[in-house]
Amino acid sequence: MSEHSGPHHTSKMAGADGDDSLYPIAVLIDELRNEDVQLRLNSIKKLSTIALALGVERTRTELLPFLTDTIYDEDEVLLALAEQLGNFTMLVGGPEYVHCLLPPLESLATVEETVVRDKAVESLRKISQEHSPVDLEVHFEPLVKRLASGDWFTSRTSACGLFSVCYPRVSSTVKAEIRQHFRTLCSDDTPMVRRAAASKLGEFAKVLELDYVKSDIISLFTALASDEQDSVRLLAVEACVSIATLLPQEDLETLVMPTLRQAAEDKSWRVRYMVADKFSELQKAVGPEITKNDLVPAFQNLLKDCEAEVRAAAANKVKEFCENLPEDSREQIIMTHILPCVKELVSDTNQHVKSALASVIMGLSTILGKDNTVEHLLPLFLAQLKDECPEVRLNIISNLDCVNEVIGIRQLSQSLLPAIVELAEDAKWRVRLAIIEYMPLLAGQLGVEFFDEKLNTLCMAWLIDHVYAIREAATCNLMKLVEKFGAEWAQNTIVPKVLGMANDPNYLHRMTTLFCINALSEACGQDITTKQMLPVVLKMSNDQVANVRFNVAKSLQKIGPVLDSNALQSEVKPVLEKLATDTDMDVKYFAQEAISGKLVFPPPAAETSLYVRFYRSGKPDDHAVFLSSSTVLSLA
Amino acid sequence: LAANKAARGNDFQWCFSQVKGAIDEDVAEADIISTVEFNYSGELLATGDKGGRVVIFQHEQESKNRPQLRGEYNVYSTFQSHEPEFDYLKSLEIEEKINKIRWLPQQNSAHFLLSTNDKTIKLWKISERDKRAEGYNLKDEEGRLRDPFRISSLRVPVLMPMDLMVEASPRRIFANAHTYHINSISVNSDHETYLSADDLRINLWHLEITDRSFNIVDIKPANMEELTEVITAAECHPHQCNVFVYSSSKGTIRLCDMRAAALCDRHSKFFEEPEDPSSRSFFSEIISSISDVKFSHSGRYMMTRDYLSVKVWDLNMENRPVETYQVHEYLRSKLCSLYENDCIFDKFECCWNGSDSAIMTGSYNNFFRMFDRNTRRDITLEASRESSKPRATLKPRKVSTGGKRKKDEISVDSLDFNKKILHTAWHPKENVIAVAATNNLYIFQDKIN
């Protein structure tokens, strides 16, 4: 078959005749064109294996030309190809031949799918480093120019990302050409290209000589920042950060600030949003003096913006902005300029704004100290704890630790309680779930007495919530509480209640008892587990509902390690043996598993035993699904 | 040159170029054309039909030996864009009918278009392939398997030229964002977003993001019994990325500025012509409902179509249109019967020529109307098989309005209301028009003398 192999059939790895080691490679090559995308993808991901087998010369002369024209494929295949080619230098013969990789990457850099193009550009940037200075000018830079002057804007957008990697390594003549190309793309007809140029402006500025930054970049920056397209102007805000970082302080006022001021007051809310979103970066880039004089009023305006999206973005930055204010005037600026705006936001009409503020406002207490917090912030916290929107309350509660450090949580506890109770009973289960997750934290900060008095009932009530996720979280919560308050506390307060549920008429509640025992046994220790929990579990092995019985088997397996060996042998074993002869196949299965003690099961998946069957057979089948759901239904 | 010609108005004659579609008398419902759209260069022309198909025609190069005959449009690609679906939650059938097609500006050698039915918008890529890989390791030329143990060398596939193949592939599906029926889609001048409008809401999408869209207009009242108007059409401004308009069933148009707020509940301009109390009737509201709104290419004007007229509005003047053209005023006396046969609810579209100097819209009896904005001259033409001889000049048609019917005139009573021209398109650069008449697509062009 050597007649098919073309002129380069002496690959290093290939044997001369009938070599079965070639077979897997042959399959991989053929599957580059398989109809099944997954197989093609698989072959592309093993492209290095193929290249290795072909040797460097055939890779260069046959494989790469083929790949250059394969741009018809699915995005995911092209994406994988673009990524592979970035690591291909050694496979084509080392840096000397790295330019052979340019044609396929060039064609990938012109496809319409942004992710593929970006990946091709990333790989091009990577291999540009492997070009010698000469190759860079002979091969790479012409490619950049071709892309930059391509007919389609896809190629021009890709060019924008390549200027900064070749600029530092080329001669000054070529440098001038590159600057010219970048200038042209900044005023391209299509907004796509101008956006690409705007997004790379900062990066390009970084590699330019300072003089050119001042002469070239600033004028491009100013032009892009006043582009007719909102989507271009807003990208200029990002560039503003990098450019401001590059310039000496004394130039900022004249070169950057006019544009930044204009952006902060742009007619389009999207641009102002971008300014708000990048405010901390901008603040660091322009330094303390400009911050004091310019950014403080700008920030105030953003906090009072007419568009809620902008106010929310600004509200998100309140803490960071305040933290980064120059220390000498920080408190004064916050108290006289920022706090009044913050006060207004607490009663904003938009819930996203309030909720954004609630997620950071507590952080101000560490900055302002105890007295200011008590006098000025506490009323705001309390107001937000009473907000009509659950997310606002939740955000306050989730950040309580900041306040705790400064003034102690007691100051808040009277308002905290109604807020927690209301969230605990919210109609949305996600809200209930969120508050449960903060319980251990709250318990730690409020102390055991307060908890027993006010919150314990809530925690127990969640155990019989009608949503499984809540019951599950409630179980987990109990475990964390026991870890915090100790076994003795558990024995007196929660264990009796949990065990009491074993007699509940609802089988779901009886199962909750088992889940709690699973979670608590370790934290409660051997004594409580053996003496109090075990008898209940064993008794439940006679439950009429199969789901309860197989969960007994699972529980016994789970708490086994905590029990003393006497109890294991004399009490647990007989029960498991009995369950192993149960009429229900699930019960049997789990009892046997528990006896052999080999399998560790995933977290409770009790309400449907689909999971169980899945793990047993390795894959779920329809029959099993049917069976298990019918069992559950008939028993419930 | 073309622009000049168009500017001179109707001092040229329209002649027949092509007709597409079956000649059969009984028309299959699925074959009825539901939208027509040229792409930005005019090189491609897309139609969508009630059967969910999209057919794309490509302009052939002019032939050298017949210079008087300009290039024709031939089928380039045909594909099934939408399939009938069923919403099980609401027990509703979702028709596959293509409501609108919009081309994207060309970004590489492939072409892209958005097509939508009542609920789902799809982004399609139409691309060419002229090479095929050849040579397998495990198969020989005839496709017979080779003995895997006798492979002595590896073979890399080679790309060979092949006959041109045009592929249409779905790139993105934008679904589940519209509760009501989508009536418009429009690509923004920023080339990265587009809007879609249904009866009560307008959403803004990013072309690359399918799992999220932003609601920018919502006119749904808290209580649906208080509903007084619906959105009938919406379009983005051709140059200003922040501006879009939407028309309502009450005959008004709102212009919104997306810069002002994320939710454009408050319009920045409101276009409405005060009603003439003397012509007020039971049908006033129905016939004032706007069925289509289109910005001029320049972005200075917009045109709206209501049941009896086309109006051109200057964006700087909100209280009345700058031009009003009667499309078929003779139907005013027939509104009662048009109401009874539901024709009064027909949604006629309208379009501009490339230089904004002329406009075109459809009527009944396979008639369509053109108005020259400079000379104020108008003309009625007919899309019919009878005149479909190559290069045949289209004769102007006249409908007699009361009094004695002149020769060559058609009486209002003999108009065929089942033959309606709802969808028309004008080539962006030349005087070539595409007119959808039920299941046939007629292409006409100006006569070169």
Side-chain angles (χ1 to χ4, degrees):
Chain A
M1 264 164 254
S2 57
E3 71 268 22
H4 298 301
S5 60
H8 310 286
H9 60 277
T10 50
S11 92
K12 280 171 198 151
M13 304 268 300
D17 53 354
D19 186 349
D20 61 353
S21 69
L22 285 183
Y23 178 68
I25 310 288
V27 173
L28 279 182
I29 295 180
D30 284 3
E31 284 182 350
L32 281 171
R33 296 185 278 147
N34 198 290
E35 278 176 25
D36 184 343
V37 184
Q38 278 312 313
L39 291 178
R40 292 206 301 277
L41 193 57
N42 182 48
S43 270
I44 287 287
K45 286 187 173 155
K46 293 191 176 124
L47 207 56
S48 54
T49 313
I50 297 175
L52 213 53
L54 289 170
V56 294
E57 195 174 340
R58 290 192 65 194
T59 298
R60 290 198 300 266
T61 54
E62 294 179 53
L63 186 61
L64 290 181
F66 170 68
L67 294 174
T68 305
D69 281 325
T70 331
I71 54 162
Y72 301 114
D73 215 322
E74 302 282 333
D75 304 334
E76 47 184 331
V77 177
L78 298 182
L79 183 66
L81 176 59
E83 186 170 12
Q84 292 285 314
L85 291 175
N87 302 314
F88 238 58
T89 309
M90 291 322 287
L91 296 162
V92 294
E96 206 182 325
Y97 293 100
V98 66
H99 59 85
C100 299
L101 296 172
L102 298 179
L105 284 171
E106 181 175 354
S107 67
L108 288 169
T110 63
V111 302
E112 69 281 356
E113 203 56 55
T114 314
V115 280
V116 176
R117 240 166 34 225
D118 288 351
K119 188 56 87 178
V121 168
E122 192 186 314
S123 287
L124 280 168
R125 289 167 68 113
K126 206 163 164 186
I127 64 167
S128 72
Q129 303 306 323
E130 283 151 355
H131 281 69
S132 67
V134 176
D135 279 352
L136 200 73
E137 285 201 18
V138 176
H139 298 288
F140 197 88
E141 206 268 336
L143 161 117
V144 178
K145 278 190 205 159
R146 265 198 310 282
L147 288 173
S149 47
D151 283 343
W152 305 119
F153 69 73
T154 45
S155 80
R156 301 201 297 278
T157 52
S158 291
C160 295
L162 296 172
F163 294 122
S164 63
V165 291
C166 35
Y167 190 83
R169 302 182 57 209
V170 292
S171 67
S172 55
T173 341
V174 180
K175 276 185 177 174
E177 285 172 30
I178 291 180
R179 288 196 304 272
Q180 181 54 44
H181 273 294
F182 194 82
R183 250 198 308 277
T184 313
L185 293 182
C186 283
S187 53
D188 196 278
D189 282 344
T190 62
M192 288 288 189
V193 179
R194 296 203 302 278
R195 274 199 293 277
S199 68
K200 301 293 179 195
L201 186 65
E203 157 189 310
F204 189 54
K206 279 185 193 153
V207 300
L208 244 61
E209 299 78 359
L210 186 58
D211 282 347
Y212 290 122
V213 173
K214 289 188 195 172
S215 60
D216 284 28
I217 295 289
I218 294 298
S219 64
L220 297 176
F221 168 61
T222 318
L224 290 169
S226 43
D227 196 280
E228 55 170 22
Q229 292 279 340
D230 299 357
S231 54
V232 177
R233 291 203 305 281
L234 63 85
L235 287 170
V237 175
E238 267 184 297
C240 185
V241 176
S242 330
I243 294 171
T245 322
L246 294 172
L247 293 173
Q249 188 71 31
E250 65 269 21
D251 290 328
L252 286 178
E253 181 52 43
T254 47
L255 298 181
V256 175
M257 286 317 289
T259 311
L260 181 56
R261 278 186 210 114
Q262 176 195 320
E265 287 168 8
D266 197 282
K267 254 191 124 173
S268 169
W269 69 269
R270 292 204 289 159
V271 177
R272 298 195 306 272
Y273 171 92
M274 202 66 172
V275 175
D277 195 49
K278 298 276 167 234
F279 216 81
S280 304
E281 288 93 325
L282 288 167
Q283 184 185 9
K284 282 180 199 150
V286 298
E289 276 314 304
I290 296 182
T291 296
K292 269 195 257 180
N293 301 333
D294 272 276
L295 295 196
V296 171
F299 194 62
Q300 284 174 291
N301 286 340
L302 293 170
L303 288 172
K304 292 186 216 152
D305 199 279
C306 57
E307 172 56 45
E309 298 278 348
V310 179
R311 292 199 303 278
N316 255 322
K317 301 287 166 188
V318 164
K319 183 194 158 202
E320 242 179 295
F321 180 73
C322 294
E323 250 171 9
N324 294 333
L325 285 170
E327 219 164 312
D328 54 350
S329 49
R330 184 190 292 156
E331 192 176 322
Q332 180 260 328
I333 293 177
I334 297 177
M335 295 309 290
T336 52
H337 299 290
I338 307 298
L339 207 57
C341 301
V342 167
K343 276 181 186 160
E344 273 173 47
L345 290 184
V346 167
S347 49
D348 199 280
T349 47
N350 185 295
Q351 67 173 57
H352 298 293
V353 176
K354 288 187 291 187
S355 142
L357 182 69
S359 66
V360 297
I361 190 174
M362 313 289 267
L364 290 180
S365 45
T366 31
I367 305 171
L368 287 178
K370 192 173 174 185
D371 294 342
N372 280 329
T373 301
V374 173
E375 195 184 337
H376 298 284
L377 293 177
L378 201 56
L380 303 182
F381 300 159
L382 294 176
Q384 293 217 296
L385 270 177
K386 292 186 195 114
D387 199 277
E388 56 184 8
C389 163
E391 207 163 309
V392 175
R393 283 174 269 150
L394 212 52
N395 280 345
I396 290 290
I397 290 174
S398 60
N399 288 297
L400 279 176
D401 47 340
C402 323
V403 190
N404 201 22
E405 286 163 23
V406 183
I407 56 167
I409 206 165
R410 286 274 165 187
Q411 296 261 17
L412 276 175
S413 56
Q414 284 318 310
S415 307
L416 209 47
L417 192 66
I420 294 171
V421 172
E422 220 174 290
L423 289 169
E425 287 160 0
D426 198 280
K428 293 192 194 76
W429 69 269
R430 285 179 195 284
V431 175
R432 300 202 295 278
L433 186 65
I435 187 73
I436 294 177
E437 278 160 8
Y438 292 115
M439 267 301 153
L441 180 80
L442 286 170
Q445 290 173 352
L446 292 164
V448 68
E449 282 155 47
F450 187 88
F451 182 87
D452 280 347
E453 196 183 321
K454 315 276 187 186
L455 299 178
N456 194 16
T457 4
L458 282 180
C459 290
M460 300 314 290
W462 281 320
L463 289 174
I464 52 168
D465 196 283
H466 61 273
V467 175
Y468 177 69
I470 300 295
R471 298 200 297 275
E472 190 189 26
T475 327
C476 186
N477 173 42
L478 287 189
M479 182 180 77
K480 288 183 188 152
L481 290 174
V482 174
E483 280 168 2
K484 198 152 261 157
F485 294 150
E488 200 185 322
W489 173 82
Q491 190 174 11
N492 296 328
T493 50
I494 54 174
V495 173
K497 289 183 190 165
V498 165
L499 297 182
M501 282 164 60
N503 300 318
D504 198 288
N506 186 332
Y507 87 102
L508 292 172
H509 297 172
R510 299 203 294 280
M511 291 210 301
T512 306
T513 299
L514 293 171
F515 300 148
C516 288
I517 289 174
N518 294 349
L520 295 177
S521 61
E522 207 167 314
C524 287
Q526 194 184 60
D527 198 46
I528 298 177
T529 309
T530 315
K531 288 195 182 134
Q532 299 190 18
M533 295 178 174
L534 182 62
V536 175
V537 179
L538 295 174
K539 198 177 147 214
M540 290 171 85
S541 69
N542 297 318
D543 200 288
Q544 55 174 341
V545 177
N547 291 39
V548 176
R549 295 202 300 280
F550 78 62
N551 273 299
V552 166
K554 285 165 77 175
S555 287
L556 289 174
Q557 185 183 9
K558 180 87 208 305
I559 66 173
V562 187
L563 297 170
D564 70 60
S565 52
N566 263 347
L568 264 183
Q569 203 60 31
S570 63
E571 298 180 66
V572 175
K573 205 175 163 210
V575 169
L576 280 176
E577 278 165 357
K578 189 181 143 224
L579 290 174
T581 61
D582 200 280
T583 48
D584 185 278
M585 61 185 287
D586 284 333
V587 179
K588 251 195 245 180
Y589 171 75
F590 281 107
Q592 278 158 4
E593 286 300 321
I595 292 168
S596 60
K598 277 177 195 157
L599 266 183
V600 177
F601 282 87
E607 263 162 307
T608 161
S609 49
L610 167 61
Y611 226 52
V612 174
R613 319 254 183 190
F614 175 81
Y615 275 90
R616 190 186 309 167
S617 66
K619 60 173 182 201
D621 60 82
D622 296 341
H623 184 60
V625 173
F626 171 73
L627 262 185
S628 58
S629 53
S630 69
T631 335
V632 172
L633 286 177
S634 65
L635 294 170
Chain B
L1 179 75
N4 261 336
K5 222 182 282 168
R8 275 189 279 125
N10 288 328
D11 57 355
F12 60 83
Q13 287 182 309
W14 287 96
C15 67
F16 173 83
S17 171
Q18 286 173 283
V19 58
K20 310 281 182 188
I23 315 169
D24 264 351
E25 268 305 297
D26 41 307
V27 175
E29 176 81 6
D31 292 336
I32 297 176
I33 297 171
S34 52
T35 180
V36 185
E37 187 81 6
F38 278 103
N39 76 342
Y40 282 72
S41 65
E43 191 214 348
L44 299 176
L45 169 65
T47 63
D49 65 26
K50 287 195 172 176
R53 284 160 305 195
V54 171
V55 182
I56 297 167
F57 301 94
Q58 185 186 35
H59 188 237
E60 299 286 321
Q61 289 310 307
E62 319 187 357
S63 77
K64 283 200 181 101
N65 35 12
R66 288 189 298 171
Q68 82 285 5
L69 228 171
R70 278 185 294 161
E72 296 193 328
Y73 282 84
N74 290 325
V75 175
Y76 180 62
S77 174
T78 304
F79 58 93
Q80 189 73 35
S81 169
H82 287 70
E83 302 273 359
E85 282 176 87
F86 191 78
D87 182 338
Y88 293 95
L89 287 177
K90 299 199 182 103
S91 276
L92 279 179
E93 276 182 56
I94 302 168
E95 279 182 74
E96 66 273 34
K97 178 189 157 216
I98 307 294
N99 290 345
K100 281 279 162 12
I101 289 177
R102 287 290 177 268
W103 290 91
L104 265 56
Q106 200 171 358
Q107 51 184 329
N108 59 9
S109 57
H111 297 272
F112 291 82
L113 61 80
L114 291 168
S115 63
T116 187
N117 67 354
D118 286 340
K119 298 284 173 188
T120 307
I121 305 151
K122 295 184 180 181
L123 174 67
W124 290 89
K125 174 186 181 181
I126 295 100
S127 56
E128 295 182 355
R129 178 190 290 223
D130 59 359
K131 284 190 194 125
R132 190 182 56 212
E134 280 182 5
Y136 283 98
N137 285 293
L138 305 177
K139 280 188 282 192
D140 63 18
E141 268 63 40
E142 278 79 50
R144 284 188 301 256
L145 289 180
R146 287 185 176 138
D147 179 357
F149 296 103
R150 296 199 47 218
I151 293 173
S152 58
S153 61
L154 292 172
R155 196 176 167 188
V156 178
V158 182
L159 288 158
M160 304 299 277
M162 66 165 190
D163 288 345
L164 183 71
M165 198 167 85
V166 181
E167 296 172 311
S169 46
R171 302 295 292 183
R172 307 246 194 279
I173 295 175
F174 306 90
N176 306 323
H178 284 280
T179 316
Y180 305 94
H181 291 180
I182 299 175
N183 54 44
S184 310
I185 45 178
S186 177
V187 182
N188 192 302
S189 62
D190 64 12
H191 296 189
E192 71 173 354
T193 57
Y194 74 91
L195 62 78
S196 60
D198 67 25
D199 299 337
L200 296 178
R201 297 192 179 101
I202 301 177
N203 293 330
L204 185 70
W205 300 83
H206 192 287
L207 280 162
E208 293 190 356
I209 300 169
T210 56
D211 60 358
R212 203 170 356 150
S213 80
F214 296 97
N215 179 240
I216 50 173
V217 173
D218 187 347
I219 62 164
K220 185 172 185 279
N223 177 5
M224 277 299 264
E225 281 172 17
E226 289 160 17
L227 185 69
T228 55
E229 62 180 328
V230 296
I231 298 169
T232 54
E235 196 180 47
C236 292
H237 190 278
H239 313 301
Q240 288 168 289
C241 62
N242 50 292
V243 172
F244 70 95
V245 292
Y246 66 93
S247 60
S248 99
S249 54
K250 280 190 161 171
T252 59
I253 309 107
R254 289 173 176 85
L255 182 141
C256 302
D257 185 345
M258 287 189 272
R259 290 179 303 187
L263 190 62
C264 301
D265 275 347
R266 262 172 268 141
H267 52 261
S268 38
K269 287 188 181 184
F270 184 72
F271 298 86
E272 184 180 32
E273 185 171 32
E275 194 188 23
D276 176 5
S278 64
S279 62
R280 170 112 202 123
S281 78
F282 171 74
F283 304 107
S284 296
E285 192 165 327
I286 303 176
I287 61 169
S288 67
S289 175
I290 292 174
S291 52
D292 196 16
V293 55
K294 292 268 169 63
F295 278 108
S296 64
H297 295 83
S298 68
R300 167 82 189 266
Y301 302 99
M302 66 180 167
M303 154 169 68
T304 57
R305 171 70 208 258
D306 53 49
Y307 192 60
L308 294 179
S309 66
V310 184
K311 290 171 183 157
V312 175
W313 304 76
D314 187 325
L315 291 193
N316 301 319
M317 189 160 84
E318 297 166 58
N319 59 355
R320 61 184 167 84
V322 285
E323 295 154 33
T324 301
Y325 302 98
Q326 301 307 332
V327 178
H328 36 215
E329 186 61 20
Y330 45 79
L331 294 183
R332 198 176 280 279
S333 56
K334 298 271 164 207
L335 291 177
C336 215
S337 53
L338 290 165
Y339 179 77
E340 269 156 29
N341 65 12
D342 273 355
C343 281
I344 202 166
F345 301 106
D346 283 335
K347 294 191 84 179
F348 291 98
E349 293 173 7
C350 50
C351 64
W352 299 86
N353 73 343
S355 60
D356 300 334
S357 63
I359 56 188
M360 169 169 60
T361 189
S363 176
Y364 292 104
N365 205 47
N366 273 359
F367 287 173
F368 59 97
R369 303 265 290 149
M370 283 187 196
F371 305 95
D372 186 297
R373 296 182 56 212
N374 298 320
T375 62
R376 295 292 177 129
R377 275 190 287 179
D378 67 285
I379 188 168
T380 305
L381 298 170
E382 183 183 3
S384 78
R385 289 274 173 187
E386 280 91 80
S387 57
S388 60
K389 282 178 224 85
R391 312 291 304 144
T393 309
L394 295 191
K395 267 191 264 159
R397 304 288 172 179
K398 278 214 165 62
V399 178
S400 68
T401 48
K404 249 181 83 183
R405 188 162 70 90
K406 294 191 204 104
K407 199 174 161 244
D408 289 346
E409 281 191 350
I410 301 155
S411 96
V412 179
D413 295 318
S414 58
L415 292 175
D416 185 345
F417 288 101
N418 288 318
K419 292 182 176 169
K420 38 192 114 176
I421 292 187
L422 302 175
H423 317 284
T424 60
W426 204 313
H427 190 293
K429 290 170 186 152
E430 292 177 39
N431 279 322
V432 175
I433 54 171
V435 175
T438 319
N439 64 327
N440 289 127
L441 180 71
Y442 287 85
I443 297 169
F444 304 107
Q445 49 184 237
D446 57 346
K447 193 162 201 166
I448 302 173
N449 296 314

